[in-house]
Amino acid sequence: MASEEQISAIKRAKVLMVGAGGIGCELLKTLALSGFQDIHIIDMDTIEVSNLNRQFLFRQSHVGQSKAKVARDAVLRFRPKISITPYHANVKESRFNVDFFKEFDVVLNGLDNLDARRHVNRLCLAADVPLVESGTTGFLGQVTVHLKGKTECYECQPKPAPKTYPVCTITSTPSKFIHCIVWAKDLLFAKLFGDKNQENDLNVRSSDTGNSSEHSADVFEYRKDEDIEQYGRRIYDHVFGHNIEVALSNEETWKNRNKPRPIYSKDVLPVKMTEKNGDTEKDCATGDVSVMAFLSLKNPQDIWSLAENSRVFLEALRLFFSKRLKDIGNLTFDKDDQLAVEFVTAAANIRASSFGIPLHSLFEAKGIAGNIVHAVATTNAIIAGLIVIEAIKVLKKDNNNYRMTYCLEHPSRKLLLMPVEPYEPNKSCYVCSETPLSLEVNTHHSKLRDFVEKIVKGKLGMNFPVIMQGASILYEVGEDLEEDMVAIYAANLEKAFSELPSSVISGTVLTVEDLQQEFSCSINIKHREEFDEEKEPDGMVLCGWVEAPVDKDNNKPIGNGESTSNALPSEEKDVEIQEMSGGTETVTGKKRKLSEVDESKKQKKPEKLDVDDEDDELVISDDWESLAKKNRV
Amino acid sequence: MNGEELTEQETALYDRQIRVWGADAQRRLSKSHILVYGMKGTVAEFCKNIVLAGVGSVTLVDDRAVNEEALSTNFLVLPDENLYHGKTLAEVCCDSLKEFNPMVHVSVEKGDISTFGVEFFEKFDAVVISCCSLAKKKLINQKCRKLPKHIAYYTVDCRGSCGEIFVDLKNYKYSKKKLEETIECQLEYPSFEDAIAAPWKALPKRVSKLYFAMRVIEQFEDIEGRNAGQTSIADLPGVLKLRKELCETNSVNESQIPDALLERLLTGTSEFPPVCAIIGGILGQEVIKAISGKGDPLKNFFFFDAMDGKGLIEDISKP
């Protein structure tokens, strides 16, 4: 199949792989078999047991070791003479700068998060190196090709940000199981086992805030020599009983909603647990501490009753205090921390019970709390094959044949693998087309700090920003800054826009840059007085920022991780991750295919696939063209 | 492992895929037995996939010695003569596959598969055939079909940048959930012999050209007494002549089967690794679906051509 020209182009090529996980293992293997001889691979992760069902270059004995290094060693076994350079590092590190990227003929991404993808996208643009992007989730996958100036960059198409929920939904009016998980994980777990100095919205806002906050300061504090079960019941009764009663006292809230019911431990578990279970603690290493075995709740797929959940709650709390005391105060939730998962599952379920929301198994809860992406080997293998095919075209500069390919679960017009021509760059893309953005903000109230955190780092994905107004620098991050400058920047952060040295008001243009990404963007400031607390919680709205439309059937590129849509067969379709808060659709200009195509023959873009839903619910209609029509404004 | 519930070890290892197809499906996989014939690169990919998925057992058949082709396209064959000396291809692959998942029983069966009796095939839930002549494909398919037991039968062929999968699930019943309901589905598959006997004229107009091209090459090899894949560009005149005859017999225009495509298939006798990965992946998914009873299986041919990048399903059967 391969012509001489192709064989030598492959031999000479220097390829960078970012990611040595699910896609990475398959990709490295296929590249090596296809004749590539100089491959560099970056991955910051170490190997875990749950990787082994698909990351076939790794063995049980490798758990804990660097993915990049072990992948390299495994592939060298069947291709000993090629060069594979592993980097056990974060691709965002400063050494992976534009000069580093410039060395490569093509960059191949096998990442699982949006942040890193955007970062690599910008570096590839800055270095003018072709990028082949990809992603998989379950049976779905896609491969896209990005060449500066010729095709869309990775950010030309809107990528929905991870789903967030309004604070009051979490603290007061949950209606879905995921709200209970977020409450259990980010509020209760954090309050009990995390950094005590962190702000925490655990206590319900009510007209009586004065009293309840005083009350709570005592409630969560473990008193010396207190009986641990008594402590546990005290917490239980406070969050599931007292707090609910306080919430109920606010009639307005429940006018159009089902009222929750308070739950007290004495009603659910009248008998003291230690009396019942005696002293039969399993003596195990910290890492193996687990409630489930102890309580004979073996199957993680079972849904526990309210009583069982309550038992797990109290027992988990007890085990944290008796076996893992030193961890308390600096824990963050980790999906691989079995005891934490048990606690969060139990807490979420009790809350769900209170609010009339269906309970879930540990298996399901873990998936939601841990943002676990379901994954199989076959999809990764298919995608890897497709990546290599595109990579070879890139090396041959086969400009008219690049394709984006979608791997579907259900065929669309007989196609399981659907190739589509890439689109021209989006002229309104603020990343590759340098389009200015605008920011609506209350210049008297919002501080520079909010702008830096929420907009520049958050929405724009810059890591080391420089913010300028004309020639003067308002803020920057760097290693060799002079002390007095650092002080000025620190002071600036705390000032409202209008109070900054040269006063940022309506009409001012700010320039924000990330020197490492070699990415610059200008932002026009527009003053606005009022912002909707629920829909615009940041108090700032970025426009010209191509946000995904607010639509139930919205589609999401595959494999961006951070997905909370781990819908399993029993999960109702209530995990709607596609709701965007307040985004407005801006489809500016018409998308044109790379090759010259008549307007009338223009194909619609196939829907990026919704990852949600159990296998058999038809998310993609067979007629994807009409779906595409529907989602365009 | 063969008890009613998944062990802790299985739950931990298979967590991510259980989230795709559920614990029941995983249990069914762990009890299944797969027969694989012809250890080419694509088949190596397929075996890797099903071993990782956690099937009960995989039995490999390929008595050939390790050769250049295996060393270049089969990643299960390590280029260490000490390791493969004196061993058959199946034995070498078996050693490598065992490493991927110690819970799967991988073994080798030696001998000429066309002499194996019907009772041999009865042990299996799925049979995957590659590197096989037309006659052998039909023969094995018939043996599988003879048995009352339901055996899923697949053939797979990759030539250069093209790949073909054939699926025969006999009478296949399965259920699926659509919204809140459970729907019972039933599919009837033709045998390989019956499928390819479908008159070309009766097939829908837009059937993939690759289907026809593969049939021409297949018949050419059969007539000339060649092993599967034993062709070269020198055979082009003979193949074109055969194409003419077949098209005439079938009342179909020769343009249905472009010269260029036939050339590619004749010269592409070695496999192209990206296509191996793709075909091996699709095939892996199909076998997993058939064993677990979850998901719509494809019916009944799948084609991939790296040139246009399409992976499509064709339903070919006698009217």
Side-chain angles (χ1 to χ4, degrees), chain A residues 26 29 53 79 363 414 416, chain B residues 17 45 48 72 311 313:
Chain A
E26 295 285 347
K29 170 257 303 164
N53 81 319
R79 279 293 184 274
F363 180 76
K414 303 196 298 185
L416 274 183
Chain B
Q17 64 200 40
E45 284 277 347
K48 172 246 308 160
S72 79
I313 298 173

Side-chain angles (χ1 to χ4, degrees), chain A residues 30-207:
Chain A
T30 305
L31 284 171
L33 286 174
S34 302
F36 285 82
Q37 300 191 337
D38 186 0
I39 306 168
H40 292 240
I41 177 161
I42 304 175
D43 193 307
M44 59 189 239
D45 282 341
T46 55
I47 298 161
E48 295 174 15
V49 169
S50 62
N51 297 151
L52 303 177
N53 81 319
R54 63 205 183 281
Q55 299 174 25
F56 72 98
L57 298 176
F58 311 142
R59 305 280 170 266
Q60 184 73 42
S61 56
H62 294 135
V63 172
Q65 297 181 35
S66 150
K67 287 190 179 185
K69 293 181 183 168
V70 176
R72 166 194 184 264
D73 292 343
V75 171
L76 285 179
R77 286 174 76 202
F78 61 88
R79 279 293 184 274
K81 301 206 180 113
I82 67 177
S83 164
I84 304 176
T85 312
Y87 303 86
H88 182 195
N90 187 333
V91 71
K92 286 189 190 167
E93 283 173 27
S94 54
R95 59 170 154 155
F96 303 123
N97 55 16
V98 177
D99 287 335
F100 176 84
F101 274 75
K102 272 192 176 141
E103 299 279 304
F104 298 98
D105 297 300
V106 67
V107 174
L108 311 175
N109 270 355
L111 290 164
D112 61 0
N113 70 91
L114 185 58
D115 217 42
R117 285 173 151 124
R118 292 168 78 188
H119 184 85
V120 172
N121 179 51
R122 291 164 189 190
L123 280 157
C124 287
L125 285 169
D128 200 2
V129 176
L131 170 65
V132 181
E133 249 295 355
S134 63
T136 63
T137 309
F139 293 124
L140 304 175
Q142 71 187 42
V143 174
T144 53
V145 183
H146 307 277
L147 283 99
K148 180 175 182 172
K150 297 204 181 80
T151 71
E152 288 185 328
C153 82
Y154 179 71
E155 293 177 85
C156 279
Q157 295 270 349
K159 304 287 185 295
K163 175 78 173 157
T164 54
Y165 302 93
V167 177
C168 48
T169 306
I170 304 299
T171 58
S172 321
T173 53
S175 55
K176 301 175 184 172
F177 186 68
I178 188 164
H179 302 152
C180 303
I181 288 279
V182 175
W183 176 89
K185 184 176 89 156
D186 296 336
L187 295 184
L188 186 62
F189 183 88
K191 184 77 179 174
L192 289 171
F193 307 113
D195 183 358
K196 297 233 174 337
N197 296 322
Q198 275 255 330
E199 267 180 39
N200 193 301
D201 286 320
L202 188 56
N203 285 308
V204 137
R205 287 179 217 157
S206 71
S207 41

Side-chain angles (χ1 to χ4, degrees), chain B residues 162-190:
Chain B
C162 298
E164 171 190 87
I165 296 173
F166 167 77
V167 181
D168 176 11
L169 301 182
K170 276 201 315 193
N171 297 323
Y172 183 69
K173 292 198 184 81
Y174 67 107
S175 58
K176 59 181 182 180
K177 285 210 205 100
K178 204 158 179 171
L179 302 174
E180 294 300 323
E181 299 174 2
T182 306
I183 303 178
E184 295 296 322
C185 306
Q186 184 167 352
L187 296 170
E188 273 205 45
Y189 286 75

Side-chain angles (χ1 to χ4, degrees), chain B residues 251-310:
Chain B
S251 313
V252 152
N253 203 312
E254 274 189 85
S255 63
Q256 277 278 55
I257 315 174
D259 288 21
L261 181 55
L262 288 168
E263 269 185 58
R264 281 167 56 210
L265 293 175
L266 283 174
T267 52
T269 45
S270 67
E271 293 171 294
F272 184 39
V275 175
C276 297
I278 292 166
I279 297 290
I282 298 279
L283 183 59
Q285 259 164 223
E286 286 306 308
V287 170
I288 289 168
K289 280 193 248 179
I291 303 282
S292 67
K294 210 161 191 258
D296 298 313
L298 76 84
K299 181 170 183 271
N300 56 347
F301 277 90
F302 175 83
F303 294 102
F304 178 76
D305 186 345
M307 241 166 113
D308 65 14
K310 289 185 185 167

Side-chain angles (χ1 to χ4, degrees), chain A residues 461-573:
Chain A
M462 294 189 186
N463 301 320
F464 300 108
V466 179
I467 302 174
M468 299 189 290
Q469 184 180 359
S472 52
I473 302 179
L474 295 176
Y475 177 76
E476 66 177 319
V477 188
E479 279 166 357
D480 22 294
L481 298 173
E482 290 163 22
E483 263 187 48
D484 49 349
M485 294 312 293
V486 173
I488 294 176
Y489 297 147
N492 282 349
L493 280 182
E494 301 313 316
K495 295 191 176 142
F497 277 64
S498 51
E499 291 163 8
L500 288 163
S502 34
S503 192
V504 174
I505 52 170
S506 231
T508 308
V509 179
L510 294 181
T511 311
V512 295
E513 274 185 20
D514 182 315
L515 294 176
Q516 190 200 357
Q517 296 172 355
E518 287 198 8
F519 168 46
S520 155
C521 185
S522 49
I523 304 182
N524 300 319
I525 304 296
K526 290 183 184 163
H527 175 83
R528 207 214 306 172
E529 275 297 319
E530 298 286 321
F531 288 85
D532 186 319
E533 247 194 63
E534 280 229 19
K535 292 191 191 138
E536 301 163 325
D538 293 338
M540 289 179 280
V541 177
L542 196 61
C543 317
W545 153 262
V546 194
E547 193 91 73
V550 182
D551 186 318
K552 262 198 171 185
D553 294 340
N554 200 349
N555 304 290
K556 154 183 196 287
I558 296 140
N560 264 340
E562 299 133 357
S563 157
T564 50
S565 68
N566 300 298
L568 299 160
S570 66
E571 172 86 58
E572 269 7 289
K573 267 199 317 196

Side-chain angles (χ1 to χ4, degrees), chain A residues 372-422:
Chain A
I372 295 178
V373 178
H374 45 297
V376 296
T378 48
T379 320
N380 289 335
I382 295 166
I383 292 303
L386 294 168
I387 294 171
V388 175
I389 290 173
E390 293 305 310
I392 293 174
K393 287 179 202 166
V394 165
L395 296 176
K396 287 162 70 180
K397 302 209 188 336
D398 197 359
N399 289 336
N400 294 323
N401 284 325
Y402 300 129
R403 275 188 297 265
M404 311 201 288
T405 311
Y406 298 90
C407 177
L408 308 176
E409 184 179 352
H410 303 288
S412 168
R413 298 191 179 163
K414 303 196 298 185
L415 290 172
L416 274 183
L417 299 179
M418 185 191 292
V420 173
E421 282 186 55

